[in-house]
Amino acid sequence: QVQLVESGGGMVQAGGSLRLSCLVSGRTINTDNMGWFRQAPGKEREFVATSPWSFGRIRYTDSVKGRFTISRDNAKNTVYLQMNSLKPEDTAVYYCALDPNRDYVWDYWGQGTQVTVSS
């Protein structure tokens, strides 16, 4: 059974930083695409960043470029999202996702972690 568990969310002031972690169990992630998504209140879930399984291109949504960094430690089966220079509009529930077939269809999701940025 594949499980994704996010951690590291919390409340921070604008300009601050947080580091989210996503620990995967039930399979190894070294051949999986991994991603972070977020959903703000009253809005649809949106893509934030993806980490390809191999030498593909790391992608970010435009609003986080230069501020967020996705990384992975395959030995720890963990994906990270370093978030710097946080803004109130970054407030959302952040979800980790796993694409086992490398086709950018996200078959597995975590339960989410809340990030709240105050002005």
Side-chain angles (χ1 to χ4, degrees):
Q1 182 181 357
V2 179
Q3 288 189 316
L4 286 69
V5 179
E6 301 97 335
S7 61
M11 185 175 293
V12 65
Q13 288 189 330
S17 298
L18 284 173
R19 187 195 195 203
L20 305 183
S21 299
C22 173
L23 175 62
V24 180
S25 60
R27 66 181 285 125
T28 55
I29 67 169
N30 57 308
T31 59
D32 297 334
N33 290 334
M34 299 297 301
W36 286 97
F37 295 75
R38 66 186 180 186
Q39 186 167 19
K43 295 188 177 181
E44 293 187 353
R45 188 175 298 186
E46 66 169 351
F47 153 79
V48 175
T50 59
S51 170
W53 73 281
S54 185
F55 299 106
R57 179 177 153 204
I58 292 176
R59 300 175 185 269
Y60 298 94
T61 192
D62 287 345
S63 62
V64 309
K65 286 180 180 176
R67 300 189 299 121
F68 290 12
T69 302
I70 188 171
S71 62
R72 62 199 293 165
D73 185 337
N74 289 338
K76 295 182 178 179
N77 237 33
T78 301
V79 180
Y80 305 97
L81 186 68
Q82 178 67 44
M83 305 185 296
N84 299 329
S85 302
L86 281 161
K87 304 176 181 180
E89 51 264 43
D90 295 319
T91 295
V93 178
Y94 283 71
Y95 298 90
C96 177
L98 186 152
D99 162 27
N101 299 312
R102 303 190 290 274
D103 57 1
Y104 291 98
V105 175
W106 306 96
D107 291 333
Y108 300 100
W109 293 83
Q111 81 291 347
T113 185
Q114 176 69 47
V115 171
T116 303
V117 184
S118 61
S119 57

